[in-house]
Amino acid sequence: KDEPVDPIKLSKKLDPNDPKCYDIIIGTIDDLITVGDDVVITDKKTTGSIDYFKKYGNASESHVSQINKYAVLLKKCKGVEATKGCVVYISSTMTKDQYDKPTIIPFDLADREETEKEMIQQAKMVNEVKPERTKCFLCDGMCPHATFCFDDD
């Protein structure tokens, strides 16, 4: 079914072995801002490679892809049509020179229909080969489903 859901409520209801767990796409936008006529999805990333992003001025492909997927979900779930994306890279190095100067990389969003097709294809792949649940540092404080996926060990 292609419909918006409340991911927290749904995750509390679903059994971890229910195949529906693999049919849910969840994302959280850091910031949604309006600049003139443009609606911009902004995502912040900390990095130890700030000099790379400053030098080349291109956002990571995976970060751009993430924001494009957010645009699909934003339109489907909230009816808001974003037109631009932006990654704000913040240095994880604690020197004052770098810490106070983020690198901002704006870009045009990809075609929403093409992005949605890609998302559907990726979801089909996940459904064909169910990944093992792997507990990692992202579970602690980053994932609202950690208690759903894992019992206290």
Side-chain angles (χ1 to χ4, degrees):
K1 231 179 184 185
D2 187 2
E3 64 180 309
V5 296
D6 181 322
I8 304 301
K9 286 180 186 173
L10 185 61
S11 68
K12 289 178 182 177
K13 287 194 286 186
L14 281 179
D15 179 307
N17 297 313
D18 187 328
K20 288 181 188 171
C21 289
Y22 297 99
D23 289 334
I24 303 167
I25 300 173
I26 298 170
T28 304
I29 295 171
D30 285 348
D31 291 300
L32 186 64
I33 59 175
T34 303
V35 179
D37 293 334
D38 291 313
V39 175
V40 184
I41 298 173
T42 303
D43 204 45
K44 299 177 200 91
K45 302 290 183 187
T46 56
T47 180
S49 306
I50 194 108
D51 292 334
Y52 172 85
F53 295 108
K54 280 182 184 174
K55 181 176 180 178
Y56 295 104
N58 293 322
S60 156
E61 280 184 36
S62 64
H63 299 157
V64 170
S65 176
Q66 178 183 1
I67 292 173
N68 278 304
K69 290 172 182 169
Y70 285 162
V72 170
L73 297 175
L74 183 65
K75 178 67 175 166
K76 278 189 171 297
C77 297
K78 300 292 183 183
V80 175
E81 196 157 333
T83 50
K84 305 277 185 194
C86 181
V87 182
V88 178
Y89 289 103
I90 302 166
S91 178
S92 58
T93 307
M94 295 307 282
T95 64
K96 181 134 178 77
D97 287 347
Q98 289 183 332
Y99 189 73
D100 289 344
K101 297 177 185 168
T103 297
I104 299 167
I105 303 177
F107 55 91
D108 292 328
L109 293 175
D111 180 77
R112 216 171 334 282
E113 288 180 14
E114 289 301 314
T115 301
E116 184 175 359
K117 286 179 190 175
E118 178 185 310
M119 292 169 73
I120 291 167
Q121 185 61 33
Q122 289 171 344
K124 285 179 182 176
M125 288 173 33
V126 169
N127 278 318
E128 289 170 8
V129 180
K130 307 256 189 281
E132 289 291 320
R133 288 189 169 91
T134 305
K135 198 170 200 174
C136 71
F137 73 97
L138 294 172
C139 298
D140 185 26
M142 298 280 280
C143 180
H145 307 287
T147 56
F148 171 72
C149 289
F150 302 100
D151 293 330
D152 287 337
D153 301 41

